[in-house]
Amino acid sequence: MTESNGAPRGAGGGSMPDWEKRFRAPRVSLPDWAEDAPDRSLFVSNATGTYELYAWDRATGEQRRATDRPNGTTDGVLSPDGEWIWWFSDKDGDEFGVWLRQPFGGGDDVPAVDGLEASYPAGLAIGRDGSTAVVGRSTDEDGTTIHVVRGGGGAPQEIYRHRESAGVGDLSHDGTLIAIEHTEHGDAMHSALRVVRPDGTTVAELDDTKGGSQELGLEVLGFAPVDGDTRLLVGHQRRGRWEPMVWDVASGEETDLALDLPGDVSAEWYPDGSALLVAHSFEARSDLWRYEFGSGALTRVETPPGTVSGATARPDGSVEYLWSSAAEPSVVRSTSGGVVLDPPGLKAPVSVPVEDVWVEGPGGRIHALVQKPAGATGPLPTVFEVHGGPTWHDSDSFAAGPAAWVDHGYAVVRVNYRGSTGYGREWTDALKHRVGLIELEDVSAVREWAVSSGLADPDRLVLAGGSWGGYLTLLGVGTQPDVWALGLAAVPVADYVTAYHDEMEALKALDRTLFGGTPEEVPDRFTASSPLTYVDEVKAPVYISAGVNDPRCPIRQIDNYVDRLVARGATHEVYRYDAGHGSLVVEERIKQVRLELDFAARHLS
C-alpha cells in the first residue's frame, strides 16, 4: 500500500502546462441578482485560488469577496431587496451547518436564523423584506423539517416535518404561499408537491406518483413574479421527459404548454411574468427559447452550439447565460452583446471538441462523447471517465479534467449510461434494483466499440470517475477484472452497506428508492451492488482519493475497502485530504489530477 502525500511531480522548470492553466484560470458562475435591486448581484469565483462568494454592484462596478474560508464557500443566496447575502456555513466541507448573513456592502456575519440547530440544508426561500425566510433542514434524527422565520423576530415556526426527504421549493412573490417538494410516498426520485400558507395549512396538492402504472416526478420551477398571482411553474414527466406546465394553485387549473422540443425542457419566468425563458437539453447539448403566454409563440434565444449551464432573464428583457463547449472554456454572456463577467488574469487554454458516438446496448442506444488528441490515430490509451450522480449526464461542456488526459496523449470516453438524465424518464429510472451493474453493462458496450473501432488500446484501458463515477470504477474493476488496466476512483462508494449507515439522511432515502429497501430489508441487492463484494477479484492497480469530511461517500466505508486491498497485498494508492465531497481549493484540485496522471504513467505499460 502507498499513502500518497500529494507531492508535486512534473516536467521540471519549464512553463506551466496547459492542463494546469485550465484549473488556475479564474472562473465565475452565472450571477444571481436581487429581484427588487437588479444592479446587485452575487456570484462564485476561484479568483483567489479558492471558490468563494462575491458581491457585485453593477451600478458602480465594485466587486467584493463576501466569504473567505480555507476550504471555500459556494452556497449563497441574495435577498430580493438586495440588502443581505445569506450563505451556508459548514465545517470543512461536511455540508452540516447553519445559515449566516451579512450586509451586501460588507460587514460582520451574523446568524441568519436564531433557534435552529445545525443541519444539512433542505432549501431556502427569502421574502422580499430580506429577513423573512422559509428554511429547510435535514437531520438523521428529524428527517426533514421546514420553518418560517419572521422578519420581526421571534422563534422560527415549524410548518412541516416528515421522515422522508423534502425541501423548500419557492415562496410566492407576496409571501403568502410556500411550495414544498416532498417524497412522503417513499420514492426519493419522484417528488410530489404541496403548497401551504405561512402557518402551515395546506392550499393545494399535486402528486403524479399515484394512479398510474409508473411513478412520475414533479419539481417546483417558481411562482409567478407578480403580487397576488397564484400561478406556479412546475416541471412534470407525464410524457416521459421533463417539461414545464403552469399550475394555478388557487383554482387548481393546469395549463399544459406542450412545447414542441425534443429532450428535456425546463423554464423560468421573465421578470414581468408575461413570458418564460425556456432551457432545452437534448443529446448532450442545450439551448434557450422564449415562450410568450399571450400568443403561444416559441422563439429561439441565440446562443452558440454547446452547453448552457445556467441562464436568467433580466428586467430589460436581455438574457444572461453561462456557456461553454468541450473545446471552449466557460464564459458568462448576454444577449444584449458582450461578456458579462470577464475576470482578469490567466485565460484557460482551449481543448479539443467532442465527437458523438451511438452504440447499441442491452437497454437501447447509448450516447457517448469522445475526445482525443488532435491528429492522433489509435489505438490510444483510453480513459473511460464515468460521470457522477447517477442522475446527471455528461455534455458538450468544458471540463478541465478530461482535457488534462487529452493533453497527455489519452483518448477520453464519457458514457451517458442508463441512469443518466437527458434521455427520457425510462432511461433515468432503469437502474433500480440492479444498481451499478446496469450502468456498467452500458460502459462495457461502449468499451467494446472503442476497442473494435481502433480508438482504444485494449491493454491500456482506464476506468475512472468521481462520486457515483468513483463507485462505478471500484465496482467495475471488481466485476470486470480482466478488461481494465487501471482504476482511478475519487470520493467513491466502496462498501455500500457501511456507506448507507454513515451517509446523510437524504442519500439514505435515495438508496432506499434505488434498492427497494434498506440493507437489512434487501441484503442481497446491496451485496450484489457493493464494490466490497468483489474486492478480492481486483487485478488492476487502484488509486483512491477521499475527503475525510465527506457526508455523501463517508471515509469509514472507503477505509473498509482499502483494508481488504491491504490484506491481499493488492497494488493501490490512497490519498486522503481535509475536505468533503471534493475540494473547492484550486491547488488541491491540481494536486489530485497530478497524482492521477502520475499513477497512470507508472502503472500503464
Side-chain angles (χ1 to χ4, degrees):
M1 171 183 178
T2 301
E3 288 282 348
S4 299
N5 62 14
R9 297 175 62 95
S15 61
M16 185 186 302
D18 281 354
W19 75 264
E20 191 172 324
K21 291 178 183 177
R22 295 190 189 99
F23 282 93
R24 294 192 186 279
R27 299 175 60 187
V28 294
S29 67
L30 179 72
D32 187 18
W33 53 274
E35 185 178 1
D36 295 328
D39 280 340
R40 294 190 168 187
S41 293
L42 184 70
F43 65 91
V44 175
S45 178
N46 65 339
T48 60
T50 302
Y51 285 84
E52 296 286 1
L53 295 168
Y54 286 75
W56 175 28
D57 189 328
R58 297 178 186 234
T60 65
E62 180 184 0
Q63 295 179 7
R64 176 184 67 85
R65 186 172 63 185
T67 55
D68 184 8
R69 302 195 300 161
N71 282 318
T73 314
T74 58
D75 292 338
V77 178
L78 189 59
S79 63
D81 62 3
E83 295 296 324
W84 293 96
I85 296 169
W86 291 52
W87 62 275
F88 191 76
S89 175
D90 65 349
K91 183 179 180 180
D92 296 328
D94 68 0
E95 302 183 42
F96 193 84
V98 298
W99 288 98
L100 301 179
R101 67 175 187 158
Q102 65 172 258
F104 180 83
D108 293 337
D109 294 309
V110 298
V113 181
D114 291 323
L116 292 181
E117 298 296 325
S119 68
Y120 298 110
L124 172 71
I126 305 173
R128 294 173 69 191
D129 62 2
S131 55
T132 300
V134 185
V135 181
R137 303 171 65 252
S138 174
T139 65
D140 292 344
E141 296 78 17
D142 298 330
T144 304
T145 59
I146 296 177
H147 307 258
V148 173
V149 181
R150 306 283 181 179
Q157 177 187 357
E158 182 181 299
I159 63 168
Y160 181 89
R161 176 182 289 263
H162 202 277
R163 284 300 313 168
E164 297 292 346
S165 295
V168 178
D170 198 18
L171 177 65
S172 66
H173 197 255
D174 57 11
T176 62
L177 298 170
I178 300 164
I180 297 171
E181 294 181 357
H182 71 84
T183 59
E184 295 172 6
H185 49 282
D187 182 349
M189 294 181 69
H190 303 99
S191 294
L193 306 184
R194 179 173 300 143
V195 176
V196 302
R197 299 181 182 89
D199 63 3
T201 57
T202 298
V203 174
E205 302 258 13
L206 194 61
D207 188 350
D208 280 5
T209 67
K210 300 176 181 179
S213 60
Q214 294 178 317
E215 294 188 336
L216 307 175
L218 298 167
E219 62 177 343
V220 172
L221 300 179
F223 279 106
V226 179
D227 278 348
D229 195 327
T230 56
R231 292 177 300 165
L232 179 65
L233 191 61
V234 171
H236 69 90
Q237 296 179 300
R238 295 174 182 176
R239 284 185 287 265
R241 61 192 180 100
W242 283 108
E243 300 177 80
M245 70 175 185
V246 176
W247 176 36
D248 189 322
V249 303
S251 68
E253 180 184 4
E254 299 175 14
T255 303
D256 183 2
L257 303 180
L259 304 179
D260 187 19
L261 296 169
D264 285 345
V265 182
S266 187
E268 69 168 49
W269 299 91
Y270 271 80
D272 63 0
S274 67
L276 296 178
L277 176 61
V278 175
H280 168 233
S281 176
F282 183 59
E283 296 184 350
R285 275 88 179 172
S286 54
D287 47 35
L288 301 174
W289 301 74
R290 178 184 171 107
Y291 174 79
E292 299 283 352
F293 280 107
S295 65
L298 184 65
T299 307
R300 182 159 187 163
V301 177
E302 292 300 324
T303 60
T307 296
V308 176
S309 301
T312 183
R314 295 278 293 165
D316 64 359
S318 65
V319 174
E320 294 178 351
Y321 58 95
L322 179 64
W323 174 90
S324 71
S325 70
E328 297 286 340
S330 62
V331 61
V332 180
R333 301 175 183 262
S334 172
T335 56
S336 62
V339 174
V340 176
L341 279 175
D342 186 16
L346 186 68
K347 301 301 181 185
V350 300
S351 185
V352 297
V354 294
E355 302 172 20
D356 295 88
V357 173
W358 292 88
V359 177
E360 290 297 331
R365 295 174 73 234
I366 307 162
H367 190 194
L369 303 175
V370 177
Q371 289 175 279
K372 60 183 179 181
T377 58
L380 298 170
T382 300
V383 177
F384 283 76
E385 182 82 21
V386 189
H387 70 72
T391 50
W392 191 251
H393 68 271
D394 279 317
S395 62
D396 181 10
S397 58
F398 196 75
W405 289 107
V406 172
D407 285 0
H408 284 77
Y410 294 80
V412 177
V413 179
R414 291 180 284 170
V415 182
N416 284 329
Y417 50 75
R418 279 171 290 170
S420 303
T421 55
Y423 300 87
R425 179 189 54 77
E426 290 185 3
W427 191 261
T428 301
D429 290 353
L431 59 79
K432 286 185 179 180
H433 299 176
R434 294 186 61 243
V435 176
L437 304 172
I438 283 179
E439 299 97 295
L440 287 173
E441 290 176 355
D442 290 350
V443 173
S444 292
V446 177
R447 184 196 69 234
E448 290 172 4
W449 164 84
V451 171
S452 64
S453 69
L455 170 70
D457 182 343
D459 296 324
R460 293 185 292 171
L461 299 178
V462 180
L463 187 57
S467 189
W468 196 267
Y471 157 62
L472 294 177
T473 294
L474 295 185
L475 189 62
V477 296
T479 59
Q480 304 166 356
D482 295 321
V483 298
W484 300 109
L486 208 66
L488 307 173
V491 291
V493 173
D495 168 5
Y496 221 130
V497 173
T498 302
Y500 175 86
H501 289 299
D502 289 0
E503 67 193 4
M504 58 201 303
E505 183 60 34
L507 290 184
K508 286 186 173 72
L510 176 61
D511 283 339
R512 289 194 297 271
T513 296
L514 290 175
F515 286 95
T518 68
E520 291 71 32
E521 293 166 340
V522 288
D524 291 347
R525 291 176 183 171
F526 274 85
T527 298
S529 294
S530 179
L532 188 66
T533 302
Y534 312 98
V535 65
D536 291 338
E537 306 302 319
V538 174
K539 298 178 181 179
V542 174
Y543 172 87
I544 299 173
S545 60
V548 297
N549 307 313
D550 191 345
R552 298 173 181 268
C553 298
I555 194 68
R556 184 169 72 104
Q557 52 94 27
I558 293 174
D559 289 340
N560 292 346
Y561 185 90
V562 171
D563 287 346
R564 291 279 294 275
L565 291 175
V566 171
R568 51 184 292 256
T571 302
H572 70 285
E573 291 182 11
V574 182
Y575 174 59
R576 297 175 177 85
Y577 55 95
D578 186 19
H581 199 59
S583 177
L584 299 176
V585 180
V586 171
E587 287 293 345
E588 178 62 42
R589 292 186 175 188
I590 291 172
K591 180 190 298 183
Q592 292 180 28
V593 172
R594 185 180 290 120
L595 285 167
E596 291 189 354
L597 290 166
D598 175 72
F599 188 82
R602 286 186 284 114
H603 290 285
L604 283 183
S605 56

